[in-house]
Amino acid sequence: MRNLLMKVDYDGTHYEGFQTQPSGRTVQDHLEQAICQLTGEKLKITGSGRTDAGVHAYGQPFNFITESRIPLERWCLALNTRLPLDIVVTEAKEVPLSFHSRRSAKRKTYRYAINGNRFPDAFQRRLQYHHPTPLDAEGMQQALAHVVGTHDFTSFASRKSTKESHVRTIYEARLEIDRSSCRPGSKDQGILYTYITGNGFLQYMVRIIMGTLIEVGEGKRRPDDMRAILEACNRMKAGPTAVAHGLTLWSVEYDPCMLTESRESNENLIQQNGN
Amino acid sequence: MRNLLMKVDYDGTHYEGFQTQPSGRTVQDHLEQAICQLTGEKLKITGSGRTDAGVHAYGQPFNFITESRIPLERWCLALNTRLPLDIVVTEAKEVPLSFHSRRSAKRKTYRYAINGNRFPDAFQRRLQYHHPTPLDAEGMQQALAHVVGTHDFTSFASRKSTKESHVRTIYEARLEIDRSSCRPGSKDQGILYTYITGNGFLQYMVRIIMGTLIEVGEGKRRPDDMRAILEACNRMKAGPTAVAHGLTLWSVEYDPCMLTESRESNENLIQQNGN
């Protein structure tokens, strides 16, 4: 019995998010089917969290307990040959049985991509929200600074949220502009990447922050309005939920000690659990 | 009456190439439909050349003669709202009536992308041929040097070619490796981009050069074999036709004087033609 931690990249365009749904059109459903085809095990994997329909991920961790003896180095290729081309498993390692992809996660980073050029990018359009009219990037950066810290994010959470607490800590939030795609002599603004790192995120939280930030960029709100919106703890005060396809789960970090408990203590844990 | 030169980007994944086909599933068919919806004109556009099914293009020129008085700066947006998301018109300008996108072209460049990393890229897979086993990039570069110059490219042309002459001039051919996607400690080789610039290309020519080059990279042929293959003027001597989806028409260049004939001489030409 082993606990395997893997990382998966996916282009979320054609999926209803990571987490299993009755339709079966999720990344989790495809991963579980591929594992079942490979090992015969009908098991449940644990993802580092949900992603909304249409959201992408780069290296999203998931783990599962398997009886399979397939060597570690064979797993990625064996799963990839059983997965659609837009879902790619890129890493596999053994972790302590106590490891849990979601509960053990310490920091998550999301990236939101806005194409501020006059025309959409025919090749990257699935990963970018196209916003050709002018955006005040400096104002957006000022607004973004307000979300850093520990706050009640009720204003930036889905009204359907059933979480007991809406308090989350944002460690870092920054805007980077890649101007390499700007056409000379044009009013192209380049690609605006917003990276937000926190200890956890509520449903729609990054997308509502982005929807509000875009209104700041459009001059419809002032950068400092972010503070009042946070304090209001009222979803009505924030901007709209930005479209899903600009969002990518960018990284999930764990305490290194969670990943490297000794094999011996694993075996003790198995015996203690009576397995 | 104006001759308009435009540039179009397209992700060729879902199209049967640029040039019109009875199926109507080509880039040209979509562009002509969009123009017809916009101006009511059932006209034929002239592309800078054909592309094979599944091949992409970045800034492919095309031109057409229109009676429409829509201002130049409105055309791109007006067409893009009538085109699928994977076809994007990015430039429009008026050129002399004598200008012809294909006949006036002086230099064309194609790019072929090989992903040499262990795993495919979930996001860029449409634009890259995945080749995870080792490639001898240095040998490929040596082989590539042999195609530069003026040669009879019969060995690298479709056997169905009906062109009178298979002599073409390659001005430049180079291999660039982007290692930014390599995972630390892996055997990832990065993305290998081959750029080939010439005065014209026969059907499948770049893809057969690439298929042969990949065999050099795999150690199945020596770099200097390229010379003997060229001299043989026999398609059987070259390697296979590399898959279409790695190929992108990268740029098409014109003599600047072809683009900038004065407006007056256009009007003279119209009068002379009796139009």
Side-chain angles (χ1 to χ4, degrees):
Chain A
M1 192 165 84
R2 293 184 296 174
N3 189 3
L4 299 187
L5 168 61
M6 302 195 177
K7 286 193 180 175
V8 61
D9 294 351
Y10 54 86
D11 173 340
T13 308
H14 300 300
Y15 300 103
E16 294 175 14
F18 183 86
Q19 187 165 292
T20 191
Q21 296 281 346
S23 69
R25 292 181 45 192
T26 71
V27 177
Q28 180 176 352
D29 290 308
H30 281 284
L31 288 167
E32 290 174 356
Q33 277 167 32
I35 294 167
C36 184
Q37 282 175 26
L38 180 63
T39 71
E41 294 172 305
K42 286 198 174 172
L43 50 76
K44 286 281 162 203
I45 64 173
T46 303
S48 65
R50 306 175 178 212
T51 51
D52 300 331
V55 169
H56 320 286
Y58 179 71
Q60 176 167 359
F62 67 93
N63 73 292
F64 57 94
I65 309 279
T66 177
E67 300 288 346
S68 164
R69 295 180 179 208
I70 295 170
L72 263 188
E73 66 276 14
R74 300 260 180 92
W75 275 92
C76 293
L77 201 60
L79 289 178
N80 288 338
T81 58
R82 291 163 175 85
L83 284 167
L85 295 174
D86 46 9
I87 301 179
V88 180
V89 177
T90 60
E91 260 187 66
K93 58 177 148 189
E94 191 174 347
V95 288
L97 286 170
S98 57
F99 179 89
H100 186 284
S101 294
R102 183 165 45 79
R103 285 193 218 120
S104 308
K106 286 287 168 253
R107 290 161 62 100
K108 287 184 194 175
T109 300
Y110 281 92
R111 184 186 83 169
Y112 198 92
I114 301 171
N115 179 347
N117 295 338
R118 187 166 175 218
F119 301 115
D121 183 321
F123 308 109
Q124 306 303 326
R125 71 192 184 284
R126 286 183 171 77
L127 307 173
Q128 300 172 342
Y129 167 54
H130 185 224
H131 191 293
T133 52
L135 285 169
D136 167 15
E138 211 171 295
M140 290 168 74
Q141 256 157 338
Q142 287 167 24
L144 205 49
H146 287 290
V147 305
V148 176
T150 301
H151 307 283
D152 184 316
F153 281 96
T154 301
S155 295
F156 295 99
S158 163
R159 265 163 289 198
K160 295 180 197 159
S161 168
T162 55
K163 296 278 180 188
E164 270 182 43
S165 165
H166 288 168
V167 175
R168 296 290 182 277
T169 299
I170 299 300
Y171 301 117
E172 202 188 341
R174 67 182 200 281
L175 182 69
E176 287 179 8
I177 306 179
D178 177 352
R179 292 198 169 82
S180 63
S181 60
C182 295
R183 288 161 204 270
S186 73
K187 287 180 182 166
D188 284 350
Q189 305 173 91
I191 316 299
L192 288 74
Y193 293 112
T194 302
Y195 295 87
I196 303 180
T197 302
N199 64 350
F201 291 88
L202 302 164
Q203 196 184 8
Y204 299 156
M205 182 169 147
V206 181
R207 289 169 57 193
I208 300 169
I209 291 174
M210 289 309 306
T212 313
L213 213 60
I214 289 165
E215 290 193 339
V216 171
E218 291 167 341
K220 293 179 185 164
R221 294 172 185 267
R222 285 164 307 164
D224 291 344
D225 289 351
M226 291 298 272
R227 185 188 300 246
I229 298 168
L230 271 169
E231 284 168 0
C233 287
N234 178 355
R235 172 68 187 89
M236 305 286 285
K237 298 293 184 189
T241 307
V243 294
H245 76 268
L247 188 62
T248 302
L249 173 61
W250 196 248
S251 79
V252 180
E253 293 164 69
Y254 296 97
D255 230 328
C257 67
M258 294 297 298
L259 300 169
T260 54
E261 213 174 76
S262 71
R263 177 79 187 155
E264 289 72 25
S265 65
N266 264 355
E267 281 166 4
N268 287 340
L269 192 60
I270 298 172
Q271 291 180 344
Q272 282 165 23
N273 290 343
N275 291 316
Chain B
M1 192 166 83
R2 292 184 297 172
N3 189 3
L4 298 187
L5 168 62
M6 302 196 178
K7 286 193 180 176
V8 61
D9 294 351
Y10 53 87
D11 173 341
T13 307
H14 300 300
Y15 299 104
E16 294 175 14
F18 183 85
Q19 186 164 296
T20 191
Q21 296 282 345
S23 68
R25 294 181 44 194
T26 70
V27 177
Q28 180 175 353
D29 290 308
H30 281 284
L31 288 168
E32 290 173 357
Q33 276 166 34
I35 294 167
C36 184
Q37 281 174 29
L38 179 62
T39 71
E41 294 171 304
K42 287 198 173 171
L43 50 78
K44 287 282 162 204
I45 64 173
T46 302
S48 65
R50 304 176 179 213
T51 51
D52 301 329
V55 169
H56 319 287
Y58 179 71
Q60 176 166 0
F62 66 94
N63 73 292
F64 57 95
I65 309 278
T66 177
E67 301 287 345
S68 163
R69 296 180 178 207
I70 297 170
L72 263 187
E73 64 277 15
R74 300 260 179 93
W75 274 92
C76 292
L77 200 62
L79 289 178
N80 288 336
T81 59
R82 292 161 174 86
L83 284 166
L85 295 174
D86 45 10
I87 301 179
V88 181
V89 177
T90 61
E91 261 186 63
K93 59 177 147 189
E94 190 175 346
V95 288
L97 286 170
S98 57
F99 179 88
H100 186 284
S101 293
R102 182 165 45 77
R103 285 192 217 122
S104 309
K106 285 287 168 254
R107 290 161 62 101
K108 287 185 195 176
T109 300
Y110 280 92
R111 184 186 84 168
Y112 199 92
I114 302 171
N115 179 346
N117 295 339
R118 188 166 173 218
F119 301 115
D121 182 321
F123 307 109
Q124 306 304 327
R125 69 191 185 286
R126 286 184 171 76
L127 306 174
Q128 299 172 341
Y129 167 53
H130 186 223
H131 190 293
T133 53
L135 285 168
D136 168 14
E138 211 171 296
M140 289 168 75
Q141 256 156 338
Q142 287 167 25
L144 205 50
H146 288 291
V147 304
V148 176
T150 301
H151 306 282
D152 183 317
F153 281 96
T154 300
S155 294
F156 295 97
S158 163
R159 264 164 291 197
K160 294 179 199 159
S161 167
T162 54
K163 296 279 179 188
E164 271 183 43
S165 164
H166 289 169
V167 175
R168 295 290 182 277
T169 299
I170 299 299
Y171 302 116
E172 201 186 342
R174 67 182 199 281
L175 182 68
E176 286 180 7
I177 306 180
D178 177 351
R179 292 196 169 82
S180 63
S181 60
C182 297
R183 288 162 205 271
S186 73
K187 288 180 181 165
D188 284 350
Q189 304 174 94
I191 315 300
L192 288 76
Y193 293 111
T194 302
Y195 294 87
I196 302 181
T197 302
N199 64 349
F201 292 88
L202 302 163
Q203 196 183 11
Y204 299 156
M205 181 168 149
V206 180
R207 290 168 58 192
I208 300 170
I209 291 174
M210 289 310 305
T212 312
L213 212 61
I214 289 164
E215 290 193 340
V216 171
E218 290 167 340
K220 292 177 185 164
R221 294 173 186 266
R222 286 166 305 165
D224 291 343
D225 289 351
M226 291 298 271
R227 185 190 300 245
I229 297 168
L230 270 170
E231 284 169 359
C233 287
N234 178 354
R235 172 69 186 88
M236 305 286 286
K237 298 292 183 189
T241 307
V243 294
H245 75 268
L247 188 62
T248 302
L249 173 60
W250 197 248
S251 77
V252 179
E253 293 163 71
Y254 297 97
D255 231 327
C257 66
M258 294 297 295
L259 300 169
T260 53
E261 214 173 76
S262 71
R263 177 77 187 157
E264 289 72 26
S265 63
N266 264 354
E267 283 168 2
N268 288 339
L269 192 60
I270 299 171
Q271 291 182 343
Q272 281 164 25
N273 289 343
N275 289 314

